Amino acid sequence: MTGTAAPLLRIRDMSKTFPGLKALDGVSLEVHPGEVVAVLGHNGSGKSTLVKILAGVHQADPGAVVEVRDATGEPVAGPAAREGLHFIHQDLGLADILTTVENLGLGATRRGRALAPVRGAAERRRAQRLIARFGAGLDVTVPVGRLSPAQRTIVAIARALDGWTRPDNVLVLDEPTAALHGDEVQVLFEAIRRVAASGAGVVFISHRLDEVLELADRVVVLRDGRVVAEQATGELDHDTMVTLIAGRRISDGATADPAATRRDAPGAPVLTVTGVSGAEISDFSLQLRAGEIVGIGGILGSGREQLAPMLFGAQHRSGGRVEVDGRELVADDTRAAIESGMAYVPADRRRRGVVMDMSVRENLTLPLMRPLRRRFGRLDGKAERAQTRSWMRTVGLRPPHPEQPLKLFSGGNQQKVVLAKWLRVRPRVLLLDEPTQGVDVGAQAAIYELVLAARRDGTGVLLCSSDTKELVSLCDRVLVLKDGRVVSEVPRAALTEERLVRDELGLQVAGGHIGTNGPE
Ligand SMILES: Nc1ncnc2c1ncn2[C@@H]1O[C@H](COP(=O)(O)OP(=O)(O)OP(=O)(O)O)[C@@H](O)[C@H]1O
């Protein structure tokens, strides 16, 4: 709905200059009551910077105007204006060492109950109720740092909505669905629609264009910090949005066909997993061959999120065997896994993928220095810099500044560095967890190309993804997990999104509508 009422939020002429870079350049934007406005743009286009300025994390350059009004059109000033804006940031802003109960308690703190002690059972029940609204059953008493990315997203959403006080507020969500499965996304969308229907305004940032088409009334497209388009969603389709974001026509990579890029039939087994068990995983077995991409699908809690870290040794496994090229790996030993030729690109890049204070060059070089060593063990700086430049071009890093610490890059650009870092070592086995989470359509296509190239080189790829479109695009076959066990194996010929969703949810074939996707 695009109301004619006065906007709840009006931004005019917002710019932001970081040293050597103009991240925002004269951005203007309005959000009306009941309206969902999507802000789109390539990685590094300035979306998060805009959100961080609204949240008071960064200060805009002089001259910017931000007006917050209530439903009667009256301007709201000072702290009340800030209280009228609620945020879910890309990094979720949770305290990892605190439990869900305590993180939700922090929400209470903001609303003036700072000194109220966390009242054991009552607070726990309140936390469980809030979380249950999002269809998630999670242990609200363990530190949030031990939850999966999707579970943490749900805690952040519950916290933002718990802080909701008035219908004329504005909810700002920066890529809230990046770690969520389709089913969980629908739960979130229902919550967002309820918020908008009550008269609030919503700003929604996402790279998932189908979701934008489904949820948003209007899109505002940023390119290199400027607004380059503003249009009602009803006038747009997927391809037009891709073109507006990239500034040119590109494929979004969703049509990648692994069969077309196959060099040979898959080779010898590179990864053999037998009867592996651990948290949320029971008796998992798999044989992954050289030059094969095997997908792992499953909803939140299916075990999908635990599998890759468990095989890599980053998460405890209580039984079973993992062999790379026929050699057994010691459980829970990531160093042994790396030495065996295994590489792992985690979903949660901020915590496990990279060293944020190090530069792009250092992060890229870190896992494999041997080829760059010269006499007396010194690194060949020239070769290192050339290699860094080449990888930056390959993944389209923006801005192309090899010496800049990783923490100063946008989320999507950080993801590109994590991927490049592990592809550089040419692993035997590549474990990918949500590899395109948070990356823009152009980078997604580039990442798919890199994964297919790794496979052509004989790498065995295990692709764990909540994105069924991604699994269908890339995989030779997909194993679907449910309640920690493999419930189906879908070969390439039978691979469709509908089939995967059906298996992931454990749905029965109903009236021939679902599951009529050809032979197995
Ligand atoms: N603290 C900072 N210092 C220097 N540059 C920064 C800082 N924060 C962000 N930038 C730069 O500002 C630009 C905009 O980043 P921003 O995080 O807003 O992008 P984004 O559109 O949210 O990208 P993504 O889709 O990858 O999340 C990027 O080039 C980024 O490297």
Side-chain angles (χ1 to χ4, degrees), residues 308-331:
M310 199 175 284
L311 297 180
F312 186 64
Q315 187 167 319
H316 177 61
R317 94 170 125 94
S318 51
R321 278 171 78 91
V322 177
E323 292 165 50
V324 175
D325 282 331
R327 279 199 310 277
E328 186 175 356
L329 292 187
V330 180

Side-chain angles (χ1 to χ4, degrees), residues 16-24 39-52 58 90 174-175 205-207 222 224-225 349-350 398-399 401 404-416 438-440:
K16 175 68 190 172
T17 311
F18 291 117
L21 179 107
K22 196 151 194 174
L24 290 178
V39 179
L40 309 180
H42 62 71
N43 293 135
S45 57
K47 304 177 297 296
S48 297
T49 303
L50 177 86
V51 173
K52 284 179 181 163
H58 293 317
Q90 227 175 61
D174 191 356
E175 284 194 62
I205 295 179
S206 176
H207 289 292
L222 295 183
D224 298 324
R349 58 188 168 251
R350 280 176 193 277
R398 288 194 214 209
H401 294 163
Q404 183 167 290
L406 210 62
K407 66 181 176 198
L408 299 187
F409 283 85
S410 73
N413 280 294
Q414 290 167 4
Q415 179 71 353
K416 295 178 200 172
V439 306
D440 63 46

Side-chain angles (χ1 to χ4, degrees), residues 134-386:
F134 299 95
L138 56 88
D139 185 347
V140 295
T141 61
V142 302
V144 161
R146 296 229 301 267
L147 300 178
S148 70
Q151 288 173 322
R152 281 202 296 278
T153 307
I154 285 170
V155 175
I157 292 165
R159 190 175 68 165
L161 295 183
D162 184 39
W164 203 256
T165 47
R166 295 157 45 144
D168 52 5
N169 285 179
V170 176
L171 177 64
V172 183
L173 303 109
D174 191 356
E175 284 194 62
T177 60
L180 301 188
H181 184 268
D183 224 35
E184 299 147 18
V185 169
Q186 288 309 322
V187 175
L188 171 65
F189 280 10
E190 260 321 296
I192 295 175
R193 286 192 190 103
R194 272 202 302 274
V195 165
S198 73
V202 177
V203 177
F204 177 74
I205 295 179
S206 176
H207 289 292
R208 296 186 178 181
L209 302 184
D210 295 341
E211 291 178 0
V212 169
L213 281 173
E214 185 185 334
L215 185 72
D217 299 298
R218 196 155 53 87
V219 302
V220 173
V221 183
L222 295 183
R223 202 182 306 142
D224 298 324
R226 291 167 183 262
V227 175
V228 292
E230 186 168 354
Q231 236 166 308
T233 321
E235 300 164 4
L236 288 168
D237 59 22
H238 183 98
D239 288 353
T240 315
M241 285 201 292
V242 171
T243 307
L244 287 174
I245 291 167
R248 62 196 155 90
R249 281 191 69 79
I250 52 166
S251 152
D252 66 358
T255 51
D257 179 3
T261 60
R262 179 182 291 293
R263 191 192 50 175
D264 288 313
V270 282
L271 173 70
T272 306
V273 182
T274 319
V276 158
S277 297
E280 294 193 25
I281 300 275
S282 309
D283 197 20
F284 178 87
S285 296
L286 161 80
Q287 196 166 66
L288 173 69
R289 290 181 293 164
E292 188 183 29
I293 304 177
V294 173
I296 301 290
I299 60 171
L300 173 64
S302 63
R304 184 201 74 230
E305 294 159 275
Q306 276 69 33
L307 186 64
M310 199 175 284
L311 297 180
F312 186 64
Q315 187 167 319
H316 177 61
R317 94 170 125 94
S318 51
R321 278 171 78 91
V322 177
E323 292 165 50
V324 175
D325 282 331
R327 279 199 310 277
E328 186 175 356
L329 292 187
V330 180
D332 310 344
D333 185 346
T334 55
R335 182 180 288 261
I338 293 169
E339 277 166 9
S340 77
M342 205 184 242
Y344 170 46
V345 176
D348 196 349
R349 58 188 168 251
R350 280 176 193 277
R351 299 183 327 141
R352 291 202 282 220
V354 277
V355 186
M356 284 292 170
D357 285 321
M358 283 189 176
S359 69
V360 171
R361 176 181 53 76
E362 289 165 322
N363 268 291
L364 280 176
T365 308
L366 208 58
L368 185 67
M369 298 201 184
R370 219 174 307 120
L372 294 168
R373 291 227 186 271
R374 297 297 174 258
R375 284 179 62 191
F376 309 118
R378 283 229 306 270
L379 274 190
D380 179 344
K382 204 168 153 198
E384 189 192 14
R385 285 192 296 278

